[in-house]
Amino acid sequence: MATSKMASCIFCKIIQGEIPCFKLFESDKTLAFLDINPLSKGHALVIPKFHGEKLTDIPDDYLTDILPIAKKLVVATGAKEYNILQNNGRGAHQEVGHVHFHMIPKPNEQEGLGIGWPQQKTDMDKLKAYFEEIKSKV
Ligand code: AMP
């Protein structure tokens, strides 16, 4: 198995079969299972079989496996509206320090993901300067 295991990581333990999960799908690089405290019926997690805390810690070949599997979960649950969410860092609402993608069905206003969207006013000069700066680093 291609797992880089961290002894204290709950998701590494799930990958290793040391603690149980409601496994939905597995490939050599990825595992998908139901979230134990769902925001809605069908809320599931897709995780790389590689321990890394944030997106930038995960090799690209693990990441490319993930979205097609999230797509399978959407189809399997029959979700018509849904969010794909991946949190990085405590301040960004990450509780488990092993990269995971949420697939969260949004069946109605009450269930599923609720989000704030604090849009800021656009200063076009600042936006253009930032665009030039970041474009040169991509
Ligand atoms: P996050 O806030 O993005 O780190 O989300 C972590 C998610 O992992 C939460 O939705 C938890 O309900 C879920 N979770 C934590 N432990 C388990 C577990 N043993 N099995 C399934 N889901 C879990």
Side-chain angles (χ1 to χ4, degrees):
M1 191 182 283
T3 308
S4 171
K5 187 187 170 190
M6 293 286 289
S8 60
C9 172
I10 188 166
F11 285 178
C12 284
K13 286 181 179 159
I14 288 177
I15 291 166
Q16 297 294 334
E18 291 170 11
I19 61 174
C21 73
F22 291 101
K23 186 191 294 184
L24 293 167
F25 189 83
E26 187 171 26
S27 72
D28 60 335
K29 291 190 170 66
T30 309
L31 179 67
F33 53 96
L34 287 178
D35 194 295
I36 202 76
N37 291 123
L39 298 184
S40 60
K41 188 178 175 187
H43 181 175
L45 302 173
V46 189
I47 68 172
K49 290 180 178 177
F50 183 99
H51 182 84
E53 188 178 347
K54 294 182 180 172
L55 189 69
T56 44
D57 299 324
I58 307 299
D60 287 353
D61 56 336
Y62 283 83
L63 293 178
T64 53
D65 209 42
I66 284 176
L67 279 183
I69 293 173
K71 192 172 147 189
K72 283 181 192 296
L73 301 180
V74 172
V75 174
T77 57
K80 296 289 174 252
E81 297 188 297
Y82 50 90
N83 295 93
I84 302 295
L85 175 71
Q86 195 261 318
N87 300 322
N88 295 272
R90 286 263 163 196
H93 308 287
Q94 182 180 14
E95 286 182 10
V96 177
H98 180 126
V99 162
H100 48 281
F101 289 71
H102 296 259
M103 194 294 285
I104 312 169
K106 183 70 180 166
N108 53 51
E109 180 71 24
Q110 291 73 37
E111 296 172 88
L113 184 67
I115 31 179
W117 199 261
Q119 287 183 309
Q120 301 180 352
K121 279 207 160 50
T122 306
D123 177 324
M124 286 307 275
D125 292 335
K126 283 187 182 163
L127 188 64
K128 186 169 184 308
Y130 186 62
F131 164 70
E132 296 296 348
E133 178 195 333
I134 202 149
K135 187 176 63 167
S136 68
K137 294 178 186 167
V138 173

